Amino acid sequence: MDDRLERVIRQQLRKAGKQFEEAKRAYTEAKADPEGNGENARRYGLATDDEGRARIVCRRHAERRAVAVDDEGRPTCFEDGHPDCEGCAEDVRDGVAESW
């Protein structure tokens, strides 16, 4: 296969993967906070953006994120069983999650 064609195919696959993850995250956020009012984020004392999403610093990926928080104090990016995610959810529930 031509190197340029292979590169184009890889770029398009990456782009499709990013779009899929973005859609998946949006769906999860809407499911966690269907009203979109950020009530859960404020209940746990987290800083919020204009759309009511909690502004937290992700432990796992060390990046700023604006995410919805569910009734159990888990950000929408939470992955069950991952130690960083478990610690982040505990911090959210305790009201000490790092925010920006």
Side-chain angles (χ1 to χ4, degrees):
M1 185 181 292
D2 185 6
D3 287 340
R4 289 189 308 170
L5 178 60
E6 186 175 332
R7 189 171 358 131
V8 168
I9 291 172
R10 285 182 193 268
Q11 288 173 342
Q12 292 301 315
L13 287 173
R14 267 191 231 110
K15 184 177 175 182
K18 286 179 183 179
Q19 287 177 338
F20 174 76
E21 287 300 319
E22 186 176 313
K24 188 169 117 179
R25 184 176 61 243
Y27 172 78
T28 304
E29 286 177 9
K31 187 176 171 186
D33 189 8
E35 303 299 319
N37 60 14
E39 182 180 317
N40 290 333
R42 285 190 293 278
R43 183 174 77 196
Y44 290 108
L46 300 171
T48 58
D49 66 2
D50 294 339
E51 297 174 18
R53 297 176 299 185
R55 296 185 314 168
I56 63 171
V57 176
C58 176
R59 283 182 170 196
R60 184 174 181 183
H61 299 285
E63 65 184 14
R64 296 179 187 185
R65 292 190 175 182
V67 295
V69 176
D70 68 10
D71 292 333
E72 296 174 18
R74 297 178 302 200
T76 53
C77 54
F78 178 82
E79 185 177 313
D80 194 31
H82 193 281
D84 288 336
C85 293
E86 297 285 346
C88 180
E90 288 177 24
D91 287 351
V92 167
R93 288 188 290 270
D94 293 341
V96 295
E98 187 176 347
S99 64
W100 49 277

